[in-house]
Amino acid sequence: MGEQRTVTTRERIIEAAAELLADGGIDAVSTRAVAAAAGVQAPALYRLFGDKQGLLDAVTAHGFERYLMAKKAVAPSDDPVEDLRRGWDLHVEFGLTHPAFYVLMYGVPQPGRRPTAADDAYRLLVGILERVAEGGRLKVPVETAASIVHATNTGVTLSLISAEEKDPDVSTRTRDMVLASITTDELPQEDTTLSARALALDSTLNRQTHPLSPAEAALLRDWLHRLASN
């Protein structure tokens, strides 16, 4: 049998803060309450996190890690557009299941203090959209599509969290409208549009090695984006 890993004081404090957050919202996460729940003295908390904001940053990172684990547990299918739908629904489900975590993660922006797991989660979205583009089914550049999906998915989730009466159809309808605006409904035929071909090549440049210099690749991508917008 393998040895059990010892939980560190830092992990114990984060878990205690996370439980307080889930039970009572951000107002329940006071340094005194967290120290008592974790069974440590206040100086230990300040030594590890600096101040309350440092603790909240750690709890936010913890929330993103939980979210990322849920996202990675879903195996990709053969249809990347369907994966986008599932990813949207999983995002909303996580927010409604863990509202206090979600509001701390997405409702309280902290410029320059973005957890690594948040970037990893965003890259998962970009990866799915690159698969959509490679299949000739994306109507806009990957970066644009990622910004649209992320902004609307987050906005819908925050809106549902704050709503007194939650209407699940709001998320479904918004999802379908957003995906319809950035993707094609069916797999393209041999005579696929110039726009779709340009976006597919643009995505391929991001994912595969090529002999172009960075300046040449940037110029080519600029041309491809101009072709895609016409």
Side-chain angles (χ1 to χ4, degrees):
M1 294 179 63
E3 295 182 359
Q4 287 188 331
R5 188 178 68 86
T6 302
V7 177
T8 66
T9 301
R10 187 178 191 279
E11 291 171 331
R12 194 163 73 249
I13 292 173
I14 292 175
E15 288 290 348
E19 290 182 10
L20 289 170
L21 177 69
D23 293 339
I26 194 169
D27 291 338
V29 187
S30 67
T31 53
R32 178 179 297 180
V34 172
V40 300
Q41 298 297 317
L45 190 150
Y46 290 114
R47 175 174 55 81
L48 289 168
F49 302 99
D51 54 17
K52 181 178 177 179
Q53 185 57 58
L55 174 60
L56 290 176
D57 289 345
V59 174
T60 302
H62 177 72
F64 270 113
E65 288 166 3
R66 290 174 60 177
Y67 171 62
L68 188 60
M69 287 178 60
K71 294 280 282 188
K72 288 183 174 180
V74 180
S77 71
D78 294 332
D79 183 352
V81 175
E82 180 59 31
D83 290 345
L84 278 177
R85 293 190 184 94
R86 290 193 301 167
W88 176 293
D89 293 341
L90 180 62
H91 186 99
V92 173
E93 180 184 359
F94 180 88
L96 296 183
T97 304
H98 309 283
F101 262 122
Y102 192 89
V103 171
L104 187 61
M105 290 162 59
Y106 289 105
V108 187
Q110 296 288 333
R113 304 174 81 160
R114 186 179 174 91
T116 301
D119 293 330
D120 291 342
Y122 190 78
R123 280 193 289 269
L124 286 178
L125 170 62
V126 171
I128 297 174
L129 288 165
E130 287 176 340
R131 290 174 54 215
V132 177
E134 288 177 2
R137 299 180 65 186
L138 198 62
K139 297 179 182 178
V140 297
V142 169
E143 296 86 349
T144 302
S147 296
I148 291 172
V149 173
H150 178 72
T152 51
N153 203 180
T154 302
V156 165
T157 307
L158 288 171
S159 177
L160 287 173
I161 288 173
S162 63
E164 293 184 4
E165 295 185 7
K166 298 177 179 17
D167 181 0
D169 287 343
V170 169
S171 176
T172 302
R173 291 174 181 174
T174 305
R175 179 201 68 196
D176 292 346
M177 286 189 294
V178 169
L179 296 192
S181 72
I182 64 173
T183 67
T184 59
D185 292 334
E186 300 176 353
L187 292 172
Q189 303 300 316
E190 289 300 320
D191 59 343
T192 185
T193 64
L194 177 62
S195 174
R197 288 185 181 278
L199 289 171
L201 178 55
D202 177 46
S203 177
T204 302
L205 285 174
N206 287 335
R207 297 168 65 89
Q208 297 183 14
T209 58
H210 53 73
L212 299 179
S213 69
E216 291 170 335
L219 180 59
L220 176 56
R221 294 192 67 202
D222 180 60
W223 289 342
L224 292 172
H225 287 186
R226 289 170 61 186
L227 287 171
S229 64
N230 292 330

